[in-house]
Amino acid sequence: MTQRYTFPGAAVITGAGGTGIGAAVAKGFASTGCERIAITDLNPSSLDHTRAAILASHPQIRLVVKAGDISDETFVEAFINEVVGVFGRLDYAVNCAGILGEALRTTETSTAIFDHINNVNYRGSWLCSRAELRQMVKQDPLSSHDPNRAPQRGAIVNVASQLGIVGRPSAPAYCSSKAAVIAMTRSDAIDYSDDGIRVNCVCPGVIETPMTTYNEEARERLRPAVEIAPMKRMGKPEEVADAVLFLCSTLASFVQGHALVVDGGYVIN
Ligand SMILES: NC(=O)c1ccc[n+]([C@@H]2O[C@H](COP(=O)([O-])OP(=O)(O)OC[C@H]3O[C@@H](n4cnc5c(N)ncnc54)[C@H](O)[C@@H]3O)[C@@H](O)[C@H]2O)c1
């Protein structure tokens, strides 16, 4: 029998503004029938773009839309509290907000740049995970999820990177911040298995988003990385979103603490 995703619960996506991976995830939840979606991003106008795109095709969806900085503990706590206040629960959480930073070797990297990258990518993902887990542990699993599978109290997907697994020149702060996200994912997966919560991450390769294509120089900088991967092309944000949706869904009911690489084969070469 062919199974398909069902998302009867409430979803939250960080870094959901614009046309990147988070926006593709938010639209993916909408098009697969999730009717309670919360989105956040640092950039209010790009967040509004995602809000408008979702409502244009799915006007029935209840949205919580709040701009803010995920490295700010006060914002993260207020945002998740608001989501739970409106939706009553939180079932799927996708921690996608992140920054790449300039191409710099360690000796060229200031402490401020190092801290900024880690504050957003690692500390921000941890702040969001903590707030999401605090809600998930105290709610009942949804009875409307697939009754033939183990109950799911919540599912978290962190967006790490292939660069948390392999190195790249001139990106030590970014690579280490993403390795930290993978390690955090595994630890949380162990700690919350008994609660019926699954925690996984995706590790995208080079994906065609504003982060990688903001100008021709950025595209050129990434050309060698694209050529290394056997598939020799950039991935689409929707190709990462599909992996994220799978991990959030009960089709992945036995997938725990996994770092799912979505990279056209980059790390196997
Ligand atoms: N594009 C790639 O090739 C690639 C590869 C591997 C991993 N990733 C990861 O995927 C995630 C999404 O990136 P993307 O490629 O879609 O890029 P993107 O720039 O389109 O999306 C990132 C979003 O995060 C938001 N953001 C940045 N700092 C924030 C903060 N402090 N608080 C809240 N929001 C913030 C940005 O405004 C942006 O909308 C990131 O974590 C990135 O590191 C991307």
Side-chain angles (χ1 to χ4, degrees), residues 37-240:
I37 302 174
I39 54 175
T40 184
D41 198 283
L42 187 62
N43 183 327
S45 61
S46 75
L47 189 60
D48 198 50
H49 187 272
T50 305
R51 183 194 62 79
I54 290 175
L55 289 180
S57 45
H58 306 282
Q60 81 289 359
I61 286 178
R62 291 170 66 200
L63 278 180
V64 170
V65 183
K66 192 181 179 81
D69 182 349
I70 55 112
S71 67
D72 175 354
E73 180 175 358
T74 306
F75 169 73
V76 171
E77 295 293 318
F79 173 59
I80 298 299
N81 281 340
E82 183 175 335
V83 172
V84 174
V86 175
F87 294 151
R89 56 185 297 121
L90 175 53
D91 297 277
Y92 328 104
V94 181
N95 298 317
C96 190
I99 51 173
L100 179 57
E102 288 174 71
L104 298 169
R105 296 185 301 164
T106 287
T107 46
E108 298 145 4
T109 303
S110 68
T111 311
I113 288 174
F114 179 88
D115 285 347
H116 183 48
I117 291 171
N118 277 281
N119 277 339
V120 177
N121 293 357
Y122 172 30
R123 186 172 178 276
S125 297
W126 180 77
L127 286 172
C128 293
S129 292
R130 185 179 62 172
E132 294 151 4
L133 285 163
R134 280 177 173 160
Q135 169 56 30
M136 288 175 178
V137 291
K138 63 186 183 198
Q139 66 192 17
D140 290 329
L142 268 188
S143 56
S144 46
H145 268 139
D146 185 345
N148 298 316
R149 292 177 186 255
Q152 175 166 301
R153 190 169 266 123
I156 293 180
V157 177
N158 296 310
V159 179
S161 171
Q162 64 178 12
L163 298 183
I165 297 171
V166 296
R168 187 165 89 201
S170 300
Y174 182 81
C175 292
S176 52
S177 73
K178 293 298 187 176
V181 171
I182 296 171
M184 178 184 77
T185 299
R186 292 178 177 143
S187 292
D188 282 341
I190 293 168
D191 283 339
Y192 295 97
S193 282
D194 284 348
D195 296 287
I197 298 169
R198 293 182 305 101
V199 186
N200 291 286
C201 65
V202 290
C203 298
V206 184
I207 310 299
E208 196 165 0
T209 70
M211 181 179 279
T212 53
T213 60
Y214 56 91
N215 64 23
E216 206 38 52
E217 194 189 330
R219 277 184 183 271
E220 271 312 305
R221 172 151 65 103
L222 287 166
R223 193 178 298 280
V226 173
E227 291 299 318
I228 287 169
M231 293 181 78
K232 292 190 174 27
R233 66 170 174 86
M234 286 190 174
K236 301 280 182 201
E238 294 75 18
E239 292 177 295
V240 180

